[in-house]
Amino acid sequence: MTTSTQTAKASTVTSPDLRRLVASECASLSGSAVSTVALPTLAVLELHASTTQIAALAFLGQLPNAVVALPAGALSDRYAKRTQMITADLTAAAGLATIPAASFTGVLGIGQLYAVAVLLGITKVVHDAAAISYLPVLVEPHLLQRANSRLGAASSVADSAGSNAGAALVGAVGAARSLLADVLSYLLSALLVWRIRTPDPVATPPEGRRTLARDIGEGLRYVAGQPTIRTVIAALSTLSFGLAVMNTYWAYYLLADLHVSPAAFGLIMGVGGTGSLAGALLAPRIASRIGIGPTIIIGFAVSPLAQIPLLLAGPGLRWQIALAGTLAVQLFWATASGTSQRSLRQILCEPRFRSRMQAASTTVTAGARPLAAAAAGALVLCLGVRGTLTVGAVLQIVSVILLLASPVRALRDMPIPPARTAVPPAREGAS
């Protein structure tokens, strides 16, 4: 990393470039929240998608996490991160705009939703690989958790606002037209990233010719040699798998089985977003009070417990209120835990490996989701929708066991960032 990049770091969490990055992420998230409401509604209510097609849509949307994440991380550690974020946002906007265009002309089909889902998945992976390793460049290490907390809080507001806006837009203009809001959000995100002036943390070019595969392998060896980072990523992957099994049919379950209206569906998600906001705001205080490790573990433990009301729910307003409240509690602890574990991984990871570390996490965490969607599609044939949701809830318990048996359990304070070392990456952290 260059000296100019180091000196450009902010000593507070109110720097203009940090504000631009936060605003960019919020713009994109608020638009994506609209799509989270609009796309399932479009597939289920307008295109009359079957359970198999819903599973295929979820599978294809998550597939890029397994295929693209590792190359994206290696490229992000090599080249300018801002350029990658901007390109990803513009590509996502162009792809998403084809859905309302096709709907206007009467040619929209489930196949186009599949194609756009893959494209959006690729652009998200590329954007996130660059963004998560760019945040530590903008602030000093001791401010990283506060910066992540601020980003999480702002993102929660954006997500909640987007969910409510999505419900309103779907009701007012239809599911397809409401996606134009997400198109605009991607364009705004690209503009805000373009306005960031802090130099990109581009690594010094390696001596001799290096292949992308070698960079990927180097990053994987580094992550495998770090016990705490390795365990957190493993726990994230198991939790993600269980949640992905459930999320494959979560919207379908609410809309088709519990007869929740699109407006109520968006409101449930919006109420859940308030819990996420509170968790992000209070994450540093919670971690300071009970310790960074317990904060992470509690967040993982609450998730499977929060699924019990969903599995017992029936139609009616009272159940909708109960589901909204439970989702708020789940997202409170999920965000507090997520902010803490993300900061922990960023601090423990050497700067030159941050994008590849995130890529490894994305590959085994989000990359497990296509398999989960496929598994959910098979399970629903045998167990039905409610039975499939139950399996997903039980699987989430595994992540808690992994963390309780790891060094994370004993962590109370955020560790000191490691000094940069000349030890070959293949040997770092090895016993």
Side-chain angles (χ1 to χ4, degrees):
M1 187 180 295
T2 64
T3 302
S4 62
T5 301
Q6 290 282 17
T7 58
K9 285 189 178 183
S11 58
T12 70
V13 290
T14 59
S15 70
D17 280 350
L18 179 59
R19 288 199 300 268
R20 293 183 184 110
L21 180 64
V22 170
S24 167
E25 295 298 299
C26 289
S28 179
L29 281 171
S30 62
S32 296
V34 173
S35 293
T36 301
V37 176
L39 284 175
T41 304
L42 182 63
V44 174
L45 299 184
E46 295 189 24
L47 297 182
H48 307 291
S50 66
T51 56
T52 301
Q53 290 173 323
I54 293 293
L57 184 62
F59 175 85
L60 292 171
Q62 298 296 336
L63 186 61
N65 293 305
V67 178
V68 181
L70 289 176
L75 289 171
S76 182
D77 277 334
R78 279 189 183 188
Y79 302 112
K81 294 172 173 57
R82 286 175 60 247
T83 301
Q84 294 179 60
M85 288 188 280
I86 292 170
T87 302
D89 284 341
L90 294 178
T91 303
L96 194 60
T98 65
I99 293 180
S103 178
F104 296 160
T105 56
V107 296
L108 180 64
I110 193 68
Q112 185 171 349
L113 290 189
Y114 292 159
V116 172
V118 172
L119 179 64
L120 293 179
I122 292 173
T123 57
K124 177 174 172 50
V125 168
V126 173
H127 179 102
D128 290 352
I132 198 169
S133 56
Y134 196 33
L135 179 63
V137 178
L138 301 180
V139 297
E140 295 290 347
H142 69 281
L143 295 172
L144 191 54
Q145 189 173 18
R146 289 180 59 195
N148 271 312
S149 177
R150 181 182 177 189
L151 177 59
S155 298
S156 296
V157 172
D159 187 62
S160 178
S163 296
N164 287 291
L169 284 171
V170 168
V173 301
R177 291 179 178 85
S178 66
L179 292 173
L180 291 172
D182 199 6
V183 173
L184 293 176
S185 76
Y186 279 117
L187 297 176
L188 178 57
S189 175
L191 175 62
L192 289 165
V193 173
W194 175 75
R195 293 190 61 199
I196 294 176
R197 295 295 176 258
T198 300
D200 280 333
V202 180
T204 303
E207 296 182 2
R209 185 175 181 180
R210 292 175 63 99
T211 64
L212 199 61
R214 180 176 175 181
D215 284 351
I216 292 172
E218 186 180 66
L220 291 175
R221 289 192 297 271
Y222 174 81
V223 170
Q226 310 302 312
T228 301
I229 295 176
R230 179 180 68 220
T231 302
V232 170
I233 291 177
L236 281 170
S237 68
T238 55
L239 178 68
S240 179
F241 189 92
L243 285 171
V245 168
M246 300 191 70
N247 288 341
T248 301
Y249 292 112
W250 188 77
Y252 180 89
Y253 180 64
L254 266 66
L255 292 167
D257 289 6
L258 300 185
H259 307 294
V260 174
S261 68
F265 177 70
L267 287 173
I268 288 172
M269 296 179 66
V271 171
T274 63
S276 180
L277 170 61
L281 289 172
L282 295 176
R285 186 178 301 178
I286 293 172
S288 176
R289 180 71 61 87
I290 67 176
I292 189 75
T295 300
I296 294 172
I297 292 173
I298 291 174
F300 278 75
V302 166
S303 186
L305 293 175
Q307 310 309 326
I308 295 175
L310 177 69
L311 299 175
L312 298 176
L317 179 60
R318 285 184 298 178
W319 277 114
Q320 292 175 19
I321 294 172
L323 292 178
T326 304
L327 183 61
V329 173
Q330 178 187 353
L331 293 183
F332 174 90
W333 280 104
T335 306
S337 174
T339 297
S340 299
Q341 62 86 9
R342 188 180 305 112
S343 300
L344 177 65
R345 287 190 290 121
Q346 288 170 333
I347 285 178
L348 288 177
C349 187
E350 289 192 29
R352 63 197 176 103
F353 288 108
R354 279 184 182 137
S355 290
R356 281 171 283 179
M357 179 272 291
Q358 176 59 24
S361 176
T362 299
T363 299
V364 300
T365 301
R369 294 172 191 164
L371 299 177
L379 286 170
V380 78
L381 299 177
C382 303
L383 304 177
V385 173
R386 196 184 296 260
T388 301
L389 295 176
T390 302
V391 172
V394 172
L395 288 173
Q396 296 172 45
I397 300 173
V398 178
S399 64
V400 184
I401 297 173
L402 290 174
L403 290 172
L404 288 174
S406 76
V408 176
R409 184 182 61 182
L411 279 176
R412 292 297 179 269
D413 300 317
M414 193 67 76
I416 299 173
R420 298 189 68 175
T421 174
V423 177
R427 300 181 181 179
E428 292 175 8
S431 58

